[in-house]
Amino acid sequence: MAGEPSVGELVKQASEQLSDLVKTEMRTAQAEMMQKGKRAGKGGGMLGAAAAVGYVGLIGVWATVAAALAVALDVWAAVLIATVLFLILAGVLAVLGRAQLKRAVPPKPERAIDGVRSDVHEIKERVHR
């Protein structure tokens, strides 16, 4: 048995490898979350700009609806009807948006989690051999 490592050396080696593996998985998770964070930031900025431009467009649509109704009604009635229609639309959109947010999953480093699961499975397989 000369040249073969002792049980203590094997345990030490396994411990070091496990430590390295955990550190690698943590770096992977950190990199993945940073990448997702950057994408979320860019996407949020673009959505904010789209919302601002869309808001201005909706004001124009509201004015158009009010002006079209004012042809047949008094101006105050036309503006009131157009306002109520847009408030109803806003309510429907708010309910739909809230439902979507409830179904959203929290952001998590999926690749890193999959990697850890794979590592744990591999370790279990090797231990049982």
Side-chain angles (χ1 to χ4, degrees):
M1 299 234 296
E4 288 187 25
S6 68
V7 172
E9 290 172 339
L10 289 174
V11 169
K12 179 183 174 194
Q13 194 176 35
S15 175
E16 290 172 352
Q17 289 175 350
L18 184 59
S19 176
D20 290 343
L21 181 63
V22 168
K23 288 176 186 175
T24 300
E25 292 297 349
M26 292 300 292
R27 283 192 296 270
T28 300
Q30 181 182 14
E32 186 176 352
M33 291 305 292
M34 285 178 60
Q35 183 182 32
K36 286 184 176 190
K38 287 179 184 178
R39 284 185 186 152
K42 287 179 184 178
M46 289 179 187
L47 284 174
V53 171
Y55 180 70
V56 172
L58 280 176
I59 291 172
V61 171
W62 171 84
T64 303
V65 170
L69 289 172
V71 171
L73 303 170
D74 289 334
V75 173
W76 70 267
V79 171
L80 178 64
I81 291 170
T83 301
V84 168
L85 288 173
F86 275 86
L87 288 175
I88 290 170
L89 175 63
V92 169
L93 290 172
V95 168
L96 293 174
R98 185 170 180 241
Q100 287 294 320
L101 286 174
K102 282 185 175 182
R103 287 192 275 161
V105 295
K108 58 184 175 183
E110 294 166 1
R111 290 189 312 230
I113 291 170
D114 289 343
V116 169
R117 284 185 183 137
S118 174
D119 295 340
V120 168
H121 179 73
E122 182 69 26
I123 290 168
K124 284 180 181 179
E125 288 291 318
R126 290 185 182 213
V127 166
H128 291 299
R129 287 185 196 166

